[in-house]
Amino acid sequence: MQIVFNDTNTDFKVCFIQNKDLSKFDDDEFFKINDYKGVGSICNLAKRTLYIGLSEELTYASLIASVGSAIKTIKNLNIKSLSIEYLNIACEFYSAYAIIYGVLAALYEFNKYQKESKNSKIELISLLVNANDDIKEGVRLAEVLANACEDVKNIVNEIPSTYNQLSFEQDALKLAKEFDLECNIYSDDYMQKEGMNAFLAVNRASAYPAKLIHLAYKPKNAKKRIVYVGKGLVYDTGGLSLKPADYMLTMKADKSGAAAVLGILKAAKLLNLDYEIHGILGAAQNCISEKSYMPDDVVISKEGVSIEVRNTDAEGRLVLADCLSFAQDLKPDLLIDLATLTGACVVGLSEYTSGIMGYNEELQNEFYENSKRSGEYTCVLHFNPHIKELIKSKIADVSNTGSSRYGGAISAGMFLGEFIRKEYKDKWLHLDIAGPAYLEKAWGENSYGASAAGVRMNIINLLRMARRK
């Protein structure tokens, strides 16, 4: 995809309508015939023009979504080039990013298993603006993030019969080779030696070995060391606490957190960020066999914390517990985990929003404010000492499920907090991306399937951190 500036000689044009103001467009008759009042999008094929009516409360998220929704209506037409108006809603950098990311994200499709599929023919996008450095950098950011997110979406959308723990290993090694990253892969023997029994218990019934994957991007004179941990359940049947059939569908998306970590590393390298960034992926498969771990089991984690297993379908937090221990050995300045951890987070926040949790309220709020510029929706969920009571166990240090159905997202986050050492509690964030990670209905710029949740918000958080310093 080629992106240029101020080329008006294109096959199609996209125009923005703000505050329902149609006066600047010479298309009165078309608007009148179609009774168009500037709300939503409308396409005048005769003039090869797409009009996008923007919401009155314009944000980066709504701009990305509006552009994405509109582009979906024309992307399968016989269009090779597209010009789109520039609109500055607050900051030139993030406005350019939002417009171009909305276009690029909308062009994504996962159709490798369809006999007949129609892909967009668009090869050139022209942003109609005299571009300064901020605008050019914003466009570059959009290109990088769209590229990284496409890789993540392809991993998450891939079917469970094809994508397993070894696939994560191969993708990590490929990424490391292409972008000159450090990569170490650890399997069962190493994890047994390190006492990562919680992680291993989850994978016990799988036909494939568990994989602990450690990638690192180490630029010279790095300002900080940041570690991302991703839940990589390539498939989750629920184990012996078997999921109902309807709930098992989409569980190929339980690898979204680990896939997002790969995307973050790729984007960080392409953007030449001056942070040392580590990615820890816990790749496992929660299956059923005579080797399955069982409800009523007690497993001892790498951190030495004993865990009562009351439900084998609360498996992601067991994998993350040991991965977070491994991550803390790296002495991070900032530690962030990403996981499709709880259905409770989806119930509480909807399928559009990720939950932000942790012990440091200032850190949570800063991440929330930064995430707004990414176009991803987030919400801070505060820990509560009364909810912590729900994960107490009578036979172990902690239970892997709460004793109440209420507050499940927060109790899961507080479970993870039991494995965070005192010196890292103020440096840790838990991101529950269960809602937006996989979409069973398209919305905004997102198509059906994976959305690469977590990649954009984390990269923009790093950019904002850098600018603040």
Side-chain angles (χ1 to χ4, degrees):
M1 179 69 66
Q2 184 181 4
I3 299 177
V4 299
F5 300 97
N6 265 343
D7 183 355
T8 58
N9 187 28
T10 56
D11 296 335
F12 224 91
K13 182 179 180 180
V14 177
C15 299
F16 294 119
I17 299 172
Q18 288 185 275
N19 302 317
K20 304 176 185 178
D21 181 11
L22 305 176
S23 60
K24 72 173 184 176
F25 302 104
D26 184 23
D27 220 340
D28 294 344
E29 185 177 353
F30 174 76
F31 295 146
K32 185 176 181 180
I33 290 172
N34 291 280
D35 194 28
Y36 181 65
K37 306 294 186 182
V39 178
S41 301
I42 191 169
C43 184
N44 187 338
L45 287 175
K47 288 193 172 183
R48 309 287 281 179
T49 301
L50 174 67
Y51 299 99
I52 302 177
L54 298 173
S55 63
E56 293 181 7
E57 295 183 9
L58 191 56
T59 64
Y60 297 116
S62 67
L63 180 57
I64 292 171
S66 295
V67 171
S69 295
I71 294 300
K72 288 177 185 178
T73 66
I74 63 169
K75 70 178 184 179
N76 290 325
L77 298 177
N78 188 25
I79 298 171
K80 291 186 178 180
S81 59
L82 178 72
S83 58
I84 184 166
E85 285 188 335
Y86 173 74
L87 176 66
N88 182 13
I89 63 172
C91 167
E92 290 184 329
F93 174 79
Y94 288 110
S95 296
Y97 151 74
I99 293 167
I100 298 301
Y101 184 84
V103 175
L104 296 178
L107 296 178
Y108 174 83
E109 294 284 350
F110 184 80
N111 50 27
K112 66 181 288 187
Y113 293 107
Q114 294 177 333
K115 184 177 181 181
E116 295 182 7
S117 58
K118 191 174 182 180
N119 293 314
S120 171
K121 297 179 181 179
I122 297 175
E123 299 173 351
L124 182 143
I125 299 169
S126 172
L127 187 61
L128 300 179
V129 65
N130 292 317
N132 57 29
D133 288 344
D134 277 350
I135 290 173
K136 290 177 181 177
E137 288 176 10
V139 168
R140 169 63 175 158
L141 175 63
E143 290 181 283
V144 167
L145 287 178
N147 177 268
C149 287
E150 182 173 331
D151 289 349
V152 174
K153 292 173 187 176
N154 287 338
I155 290 173
V156 176
N157 284 327
E158 191 53 78
I159 62 175
S161 296
T162 300
Y163 204 94
N164 54 48
Q165 298 91 309
L166 303 179
S167 306
F168 256 131
E169 177 180 30
Q170 292 165 5
D171 278 341
L173 290 170
K174 180 181 177 182
L175 183 69
K177 183 178 180 180
E178 184 175 355
F179 292 96
D180 193 27
L181 306 176
E182 293 182 11
C183 183
N184 291 291
I185 313 287
Y186 305 100
S187 200
D188 292 14
D189 289 345
Y190 172 86
M191 284 187 272
Q192 287 171 359
K193 180 181 176 182
E194 291 295 307
M196 304 178 79
N197 302 301
F199 188 159
L200 290 172
V202 173
N203 197 71
R204 195 183 296 163
S206 176
Y208 304 98
K211 294 293 178 181
L212 174 65
I213 300 168
H214 178 195
L215 288 155
Y217 160 63
K218 295 181 178 180
K220 293 181 179 178
N221 303 315
K223 293 178 179 178
K224 289 185 178 181
R225 179 178 297 156
I226 300 169
V227 181
Y228 294 97
V229 176
K231 173 187 171 185
L233 265 291
V234 294
Y235 202 75
D236 176 24
T237 66
L240 291 179
S241 303
L242 187 66
K243 292 179 184 290
D246 289 348
Y247 285 77
M248 210 178 298
L249 284 171
T250 75
M251 280 300 104
K252 66 180 184 179
D254 222 14
K255 56 184 180 290
S256 297
V261 171
L262 291 178
I264 291 168
L265 278 160
K266 180 177 183 179
K269 174 67 175 183
L270 287 171
L271 293 168
N272 296 314
L273 299 184
D274 53 359
Y275 293 107
E276 180 180 318
I277 299 176
H278 296 256
I280 311 301
L281 285 62
Q285 190 179 47
N286 194 17
C287 296
I288 296 175
S289 80
E290 69 280 1
K291 296 180 180 179
S292 297
Y293 79 121
M294 305 176 186
D296 285 338
D297 272 347
V298 173
V299 296
I300 310 299
S301 67
K302 181 180 186 298
E303 206 62 24
V305 177
S306 61
I307 306 166
E308 178 188 3
V309 178
R310 296 184 64 85
N311 188 327
T312 63
D313 194 24
E315 85 302 326
R317 64 199 70 181
L318 301 183
V319 173
L320 287 173
D322 280 340
C323 289
L324 285 167
S325 292
F326 182 93
Q328 289 168 94
D329 290 342
L330 299 172
K331 297 180 172 56
D333 295 303
L334 176 63
L335 173 61
I336 298 178
D337 73 76
L338 300 89
T340 48
L341 204 63
T342 65
C345 198
V346 189
V347 172
L349 299 181
S350 83
E351 66 264 49
Y352 309 106
T353 306
S354 297
I356 304 171
M357 286 167 259
Y359 295 103
N360 186 333
E361 188 171 326
E362 183 179 347
L363 185 63
Q364 293 173 76
N365 291 337
E366 180 184 0
F367 190 93
Y368 167 71
E369 290 297 328
N370 291 342
S371 71
K372 291 180 182 180
R373 291 164 175 80
S374 73
E376 295 195 71
Y377 291 100
T378 61
C379 180
V380 175
L381 297 176
H382 295 287
F383 285 169
N384 183 318
H386 300 290
I387 294 178
K388 185 176 179 180
E389 294 293 314
L390 303 179
I391 56 172
K392 283 189 173 180
S393 168
K394 290 182 170 62
I395 64 169
D397 296 323
V398 66
S399 169
N400 80 324
T401 56
S403 57
S404 168
R405 62 182 294 187
Y406 303 114
I410 297 174
S411 64
M414 296 191 80
F415 173 90
L416 295 178
E418 293 295 298
F419 302 87
I420 303 298
R421 300 165 199 163
K422 183 177 180 180
E423 61 266 35
Y424 296 112
K425 285 189 181 293
D426 283 341
K427 300 178 180 180
W428 167 64
L429 289 177
H430 162 55
L431 306 180
D432 192 332
I433 60 172
Y438 193 86
L439 317 173
E440 293 195 88
K441 60 177 184 291
W443 49 267
E445 73 277 14
N446 300 299
S447 302
Y448 174 91
S451 73
V455 176
R456 289 182 286 152
M457 68 173 85
N458 276 288
I459 289 296
I460 286 183
N461 183 59
L462 293 178
L463 292 174
R464 294 289 294 173
M465 285 169 53
R467 288 193 172 195
R468 177 168 56 82
K469 296 300 182 185

